[in-house]
Amino acid sequence: ASVTDVDITGTFSKVATFSGLQTKIYTTSQVYFDVLVKLARAANGNTAQALVDGVTMNTYNGTPVVFIDELYTQNATEANSFVLFVGDMSQAGIFTDRTGLTFTTSTEQGYLSDDVYQKSMARYGVNWWNIGNASATASARRRGALAALVLKN
């Protein structure tokens, strides 16, 4: 299965509509260039200048695209693969630094060879509070600030 424009615009309809929502598309740069740019270039009305200049801003259908290359994605054409989030991440949760970045050094293991070992550690916390649900009962469903596009078999 491949992603279509209908899939992406359908994901927009799953996001809540409340005051202050600044909708964006969150995805990896690989999905952006492999899927979204190809869909934009395949649209009718592309001029030779548009093909030469390429897509000049990271947007899709006027919506800003934010690259989050830490998101786990497979090839966007594989079944059961995550493609992108649509919505406002700042309204859905918060990403915090729990301990800060710490460095420790050790010379014990490499004492005889004058090696110095360094270890760094950082801990992060994510608190989601407005993500909605996917209840099987239609009347119990609640839209949140984010919606995900996932390809199924």
Side-chain angles (χ1 to χ4, degrees):
S2 61
V3 178
T4 66
D5 184 58
V6 173
D7 296 327
I8 296 169
T9 54
T11 307
F12 277 83
S13 69
K14 308 288 187 211
V15 178
T17 54
F18 49 83
S19 176
L21 196 68
Q22 297 177 3
T23 302
K24 296 181 176 100
I25 297 172
Y26 301 91
T27 190
T28 64
S29 57
Q30 291 86 355
V31 169
Y32 176 74
F33 289 107
D34 191 38
V35 176
L36 300 179
V37 169
K38 286 180 181 178
L39 286 173
R41 286 187 174 169
N44 291 333
N46 265 326
T47 63
Q49 188 66 38
L51 293 175
V52 169
D53 291 344
V55 179
T56 56
M57 295 173 33
N58 293 340
T59 61
Y60 185 77
N61 283 344
T63 304
V65 175
V66 178
F67 292 157
I68 304 179
D69 286 321
E70 289 77 19
L71 287 174
Y72 173 73
T73 59
Q74 297 168 329
N75 183 338
T77 59
E78 293 179 21
N80 298 320
S81 66
F82 167 80
V83 179
L84 53 83
F85 283 118
V86 170
D88 188 349
M89 202 165 284
S90 67
Q91 296 282 344
I94 189 168
F95 186 74
T96 61
D97 185 0
R98 294 181 67 188
T99 61
L101 183 62
T102 59
F103 287 95
T104 56
T105 59
S106 171
T107 56
E108 294 170 6
Q109 294 293 328
Y111 178 76
L112 294 176
S113 59
D114 288 333
D115 288 336
V116 176
Y117 297 93
Q118 295 185 350
K119 177 175 77 171
S120 62
M121 183 180 79
R123 291 183 61 197
Y124 300 101
V126 180
N127 185 6
W128 299 107
W129 63 80
N130 187 14
I131 56 172
N133 65 24
S135 174
T137 307
S139 62
R141 290 185 196 133
R142 188 175 57 84
R143 294 189 294 172
L146 280 179
L149 175 59
V150 179
L151 296 179
K152 292 290 184 186
N153 290 348

